[in-house]
């Protein structure tokens, strides 16, 4: 039986496909390649197409014996979601509805969902725990919470079991050096900093250095993409064991400041990284980190690449050897 990975040609999806293949799983990928890259697939059977294409989904489920789904396919730019909410409800919420409908028709009853810590919004306290209030502060986070709630009803009514994984920033690259992060446009700090080291950008903007943190810059949560891939595979195992639906934070509990990331990147690359301090951005909390105590105790998840230097070193290994990512757009 195979595992279907939607969005498997994306950044986290491709690392999860690699992890599944390493463990001897059969993998089927559905990806429209709207932000993904077919070069990022180290194996598996690729269907190029859209989640919202119900005929394609029916064909995919008919042609493959799918046991479980790992669902990454989504639009995930916070800024864009606040300009074009229709795109986010359509691709994320309606896309998930189509996927769940396809699963129901094909009798597939397990789904692991790539959610986000943006479901919490402004945190009540840090580190954020699963029992904390969810009040998203942007459309992207709201659509992800809606997708989780949809899954919860599909479980109650139809018995489709789900595990939702909520995390902040995926970072780093695969140990093989063959796959890594190539978002276009790029919005994540570590690749932006490394592109600055490569002189593809003039400078890196730091939004505010007067926050109530040790060095005045915001503290954020980073998890190595291969540790995230491992958590998604563990969640499949959890569902296979017959455990019911659940949701988990995947956080590093401590977080790293923006300055710390830049200083570590300077150290790892040995290159100059010009910084420009700008005004604070509206709605940027000082500290955003999630606890992973529940994932550790229930899923046995134990991130093995939690060190910032190691995360940046692996990202640098990819960026320095692939300065154009997967190639020209
Ligand atoms: P990505 O853009 O690299 O991957 C998304 C993939 O989904 C792409 O390959 C894209 O082509 C595909 N896709 C999008 N819409 C589709 C559709 N309608 N039909 C078929 N394929 C479609 O993004 P990523 O950084 O790998 O993120 C993957 C998932 O993880 C997203 O759901 C995102 O919300 C979530 N997430 C990411 C981060 C992060 O730091 N990158 C943090 C938290 C959650």
């Amino acid at each position: 039986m195979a595992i279907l990975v939607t969005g498997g040609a994306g950044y986290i999806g491709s690392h999860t496909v690699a992890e599944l293949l390493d463990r001897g799983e059969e993998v089927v990928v559905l990806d429209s390649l709207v932000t993904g890259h077919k070069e990022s697939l180290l194996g598996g059977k690729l269907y190029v197409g859209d989640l919202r294409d119900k005929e394609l989904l029916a064909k995919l489920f008919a042609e493959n014996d799918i046991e479980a789904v790992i669902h990454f396919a989504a639009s995930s730019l916070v800024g864009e979601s606040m300009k074009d909410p229709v795109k986010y409800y359509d691709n994320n919420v309606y896309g998930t509805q189509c996927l769940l409908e396809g699963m129901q028709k094909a009798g597939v009853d397990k789904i692991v969902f790539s959610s986000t810590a943006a479901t919490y919004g402004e945190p009540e306290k840090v580190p954020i725990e699963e029992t904390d209030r969810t009040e998203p502060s942007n459309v992207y986070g709201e659509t992800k919470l809606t997708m989780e709630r949809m899954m919860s009803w599909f479980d109650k009514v139809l018995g489709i079991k789900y595990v939702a994984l909520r995390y902040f920033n995926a970072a780093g690259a695969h140990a093989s050096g063959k796959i890594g992060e190539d978002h276009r446009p790029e919005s994540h700090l570590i690749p932006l900093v490394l592109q600055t080291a490569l002189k593809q950008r003039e400078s890196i903007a730091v939004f505010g250095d007067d926050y109530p943190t040790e060095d005045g810059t915001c503290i954020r949560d980073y998890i190595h993409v291969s540790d995230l891939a491992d958590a998604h595979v563990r969640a499949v195992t959890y569902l296979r064991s017959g455990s019911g639906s659940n949701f988990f934070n995947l956080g590093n509990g401590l977080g790293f400041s923006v300055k710390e990331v830049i200083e570590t990147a300077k150290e790892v690359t040995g290159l100059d990284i010009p910084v420009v301090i700008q005004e604070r951005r509206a709605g940027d909390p000082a500290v955003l980190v999630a606890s992973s105590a529940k994932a550790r105790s229930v899923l046995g998840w134990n991130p093995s690449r939690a060190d910032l230097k190691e995360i940046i070193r692996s990202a640098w290994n990819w960026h320095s050897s692939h300065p154009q990512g997967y190639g020209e757009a």
Side-chain angles (χ1 to χ4, degrees):
M1 293 188 88
I3 295 181
L4 168 62
V5 183
T6 75
Y11 171 45
I12 309 173
S14 59
H15 286 77
T16 304
V17 169
E19 187 74 29
L20 288 165
L21 294 170
D22 273 355
R23 299 191 196 191
E25 298 282 357
E26 198 184 320
V27 179
V28 175
V29 169
L30 172 64
D31 200 300
S32 62
L33 303 178
V34 62
T35 55
H37 311 271
K38 61 177 181 313
E39 301 79 3
S40 71
L41 286 172
L42 299 182
K45 177 174 169 190
L46 171 65
Y47 286 74
V48 178
D50 199 290
L51 207 54
R52 295 161 292 185
D53 180 344
K54 292 187 185 182
E55 272 177 36
L56 174 65
L57 269 180
K59 179 171 173 309
L60 185 156
F61 280 117
E63 288 177 354
N64 300 280
D65 194 4
I66 303 292
E67 180 197 4
V69 177
I70 306 182
H71 182 30
F72 291 104
S75 302
S76 54
L77 293 170
V78 168
E80 183 187 57
S81 80
M82 296 301 279
K83 292 189 183 117
D84 190 357
V86 174
K87 174 174 176 178
Y88 280 71
Y89 276 89
D90 190 31
N91 201 30
N92 295 359
V93 177
Y94 177 62
T96 299
Q97 181 188 321
C98 294
L99 176 64
L100 290 169
E101 184 185 335
M103 288 173 63
Q104 182 207 356
K105 287 183 176 153
V108 179
D109 64 357
K110 298 176 196 67
I111 181 166
V112 173
F113 173 49
S114 167
S115 187
T116 169
T119 48
Y120 293 105
E122 179 95 28
E124 296 172 283
K125 59 168 178 50
V126 285
I128 302 166
E129 290 174 296
E130 288 82 353
T131 45
D132 289 355
R133 179 191 64 198
T134 45
E135 211 169 284
S137 49
N138 53 62
V139 173
Y140 164 63
E142 181 67 38
T143 59
K144 287 271 169 168
L145 188 59
T146 305
M147 292 150 90
E148 284 191 17
R149 293 176 68 88
M150 190 189 285
M151 284 177 206
S152 153
W153 284 109
F154 273 66
D155 175 11
K156 285 188 189 97
V157 180
L158 300 172
I160 296 178
K161 301 293 168 200
Y162 73 97
V163 168
L165 300 173
R166 297 173 174 171
Y167 40 95
F168 283 113
N169 304 291
H174 197 256
S176 68
K178 290 182 187 161
I179 58 174
E181 187 164 14
D182 183 4
H183 289 114
R184 302 175 194 191
E186 189 52 77
S187 63
H188 299 93
L189 181 64
I190 292 177
L192 290 175
V193 167
L194 296 179
Q195 287 169 358
T196 310
L198 285 168
K199 303 215 174 332
Q200 293 171 340
R201 293 172 192 273
E202 263 178 36
S203 59
I204 181 79
V206 172
F207 298 101
D209 63 352
D210 56 354
Y211 281 94
T213 59
E214 208 165 299
D215 65 23
T217 63
C218 288
I219 293 179
R220 294 291 180 264
D221 195 318
Y222 300 87
I223 298 284
H224 195 284
V225 65
S226 297
D227 283 329
L228 285 180
D230 173 56
H232 285 78
V233 179
R234 280 175 188 274
V236 172
T237 307
Y238 176 81
L239 288 173
R240 273 180 179 154
S241 74
S243 308
S245 297
N246 213 332
F247 59 103
F248 302 92
N249 289 342
L250 303 175
N252 70 18
L254 277 175
F256 306 110
S257 78
V258 173
K259 248 185 203 164
E260 225 177 326
V261 168
I262 297 171
E263 288 310 316
T264 309
K266 280 186 188 166
E267 204 182 311
V268 166
T269 62
L271 296 169
D272 186 33
I273 301 176
V275 172
V276 176
I277 307 292
Q278 297 193 357
E279 291 290 296
R280 288 182 181 197
R281 285 183 301 200
D284 252 355
V287 182
L288 278 181
V289 292
S291 155
S292 60
K294 184 178 169 190
R296 284 173 191 267
S297 73
V298 181
L299 296 178
W301 183 62
N302 186 15
S304 59
R305 308 156 190 93
D307 175 56
L308 181 61
K309 203 183 270 181
E310 200 183 329
I311 291 176
I312 294 184
R313 205 177 281 133
S314 84
W316 179 238
N317 185 31
W318 157 256
H319 284 283
S320 56
S321 58
H322 298 80
Q324 303 303 325
Y326 290 105
E328 298 300 323

